[in-house]
Amino acid sequence: VLDRFARRGRSFDLVVCDPPTDSSAGKTRFTSGKMWKELAARVLRVLAPHGAVLATTNDRRASQRDLRAAFHEASRATEIRLASLRDLPAPVDFPAPIGSEPHLKGVIARR
């Protein structure tokens, strides 16, 4: 759907991106850790100027750093400059176990 929207020139002021860790649709398979950069690039292509993306994952294999890096790399690959990219803090109602990274990771990216 994101590719179709991009081809048609559709854009959005806010995109919420919270994909499942693993999913299949027809012959397409999405695996969170391996495909975040590709998904981030697709999201950036439909993000309006001055728009924002809220992206989250609860994939334990992905780190906060991995999620942030996916958006940095997608920004470079698509040549869509981000005005800001910031990490979201762990939710207070779902704290991380002592000594480990939060289960829920998130970023807000702005054009």
Side-chain angles (χ1 to χ4, degrees):
V1 171
L2 292 171
D3 291 338
R4 188 173 347 135
F5 285 161
R7 281 193 307 272
R8 293 179 182 171
R10 300 224 19 218
S11 63
F12 302 89
D13 294 326
L14 175 65
V15 177
V16 177
C17 184
D18 184 20
T21 302
D22 294 289
S23 69
S24 296
K27 294 181 181 180
T28 304
R29 178 149 182 82
F30 176 82
T31 304
S32 177
K34 297 177 183 176
M35 300 185 77
W36 257 106
K37 179 184 169 189
E38 182 181 330
L39 178 58
R42 288 176 170 164
V43 166
L44 291 179
R45 286 186 188 106
V46 299
L47 187 61
H50 307 289
V53 175
L54 167 63
T56 62
T57 184
N58 64 359
D59 185 349
R60 291 182 190 263
R61 298 170 293 188
S63 68
Q64 183 70 38
R65 182 179 176 187
D66 295 336
L67 183 59
R68 187 177 50 251
F71 276 87
H72 276 298
E73 292 170 21
S75 173
R76 282 193 297 272
T78 60
E79 298 181 354
I80 295 172
R81 187 176 182 285
L82 294 177
S84 66
L85 179 63
R86 68 178 184 94
D87 294 340
L88 295 177
V92 294
D93 61 337
F94 198 58
I98 295 174
S100 67
E101 186 167 272
H103 183 64
L104 181 65
K105 281 77 69 175
V107 295
I108 293 180
R110 295 184 189 277
R111 277 189 72 181

